[in-house]
Amino acid sequence: SRTGKGVSQANTRRIVVMELGAAASTSRYGRLLSRGAPAGSLLNGEWLRVDADLVAHPRYVRRDVPELHLFYSGSAWRIVRGSDDPSGELLAEAVSAALHPATVGVSGWSLLEAEKGAVRHCPEYEMVCDGPNTELQPFLMEELGRDFFLRVQLTRKVVWFVCPATGNVYHSAAKPGGPGGRSRPGKRYCHLCAKCFSANNFQSQHLANLHRPGRPTALVTVPDEAGGVHLLWRPPVDPTGQGPGITGYRVRVSVNDGISWQVGINDTGTSEARAIITNLVAAVPYRFQVAAVNCAGVGADSEPSPQLCVAPEHPPTPPPVASRMSDGLDLLSLAAANRRNDAAPGCTATETKVVRALSEGHCPASLEPLRHLSPARSFDVF
């Protein structure tokens, strides 16, 4: 039920959340819809929230197909059949730190290919919150996802929502532009601060100054013998110790001494401070930058690396392909070998150089996140 009458002098409509009850505080006008799976798939349709109380990651079942469950596993959103835990048959997955399935990033989902029995990336598949989206029938942040305004990029779309902290109704537009609540500038909710801030400078000031990650340091490049380069760096330090965790890194490349830059890896998808760029063109002077990524966006770029050229004996190859390291050689044994100024059995010259860079303090102080390194077992990121 709604207790407020009329519109206040500000762009708000008062709602007494306490009187809405636990169930109404998680679901009211909004509907969670999934779309983009192949025609006839059970993965398309409406989802009903199971949790009646506020929880960190809500759980859902498919309307009319209750054997399909949607939940967060600790590192990914998953849709399974048969059981509401990881023991069920996996049908779809989105590896993400999003607090809600509707705030998973664009192209974040992978779907099961029944013929091959494997999960395939499906950029068309998405989950969205649908509803009236009006001042009288606004979304709850539990319907949108509490991290909605940090993760979802709004262009011209205006979202009406209830502030969880005050119960007031706001629109998300940066500038005024209409009757009622639109007569004043809008606001956006920050779940990290548990309050609303001006929509006009939410991205440019609030997120940039308070929640985006700092600048990575000590970027080092180690060329390999196959026309590629290993990038290693120190993660940015969070002075408060309470900021959102780093979820990945962006790597940029320059071939004209830093005059212009292009993205080599948009998001590594891992907090590990390392990456590999392969298939570099011989005799081209490359420089690299890295920037940390979290739910608030992309942080500041590191200082550019020194110029690096692939050895002339390598023939020209296709444009760079970004990749991330997988498991392989144990760096702890390599570090011991480096201290003896020799190489462990099976150690390549590149791996010896990487260990030497680590031992000289150019990379994360702990070797634990970098225990596995082998260029031969890297995998491509497109």
Side-chain angles (χ1 to χ4, degrees), residues 195-212:
K195 62 186 297 186
C196 287
F197 295 88
S198 167
N200 190 45
N201 55 24
F202 186 76
Q203 291 281 342
S204 62
Q205 296 185 30
H206 178 71
L207 296 185
N209 295 337
L210 293 182
H211 300 311
R212 286 181 186 152

Side-chain angles (χ1 to χ4, degrees), residues 158 171 173-186:
V158 176
H171 67 81
K175 301 181 182 301
R182 285 299 308 273
S183 63
R184 289 179 178 257

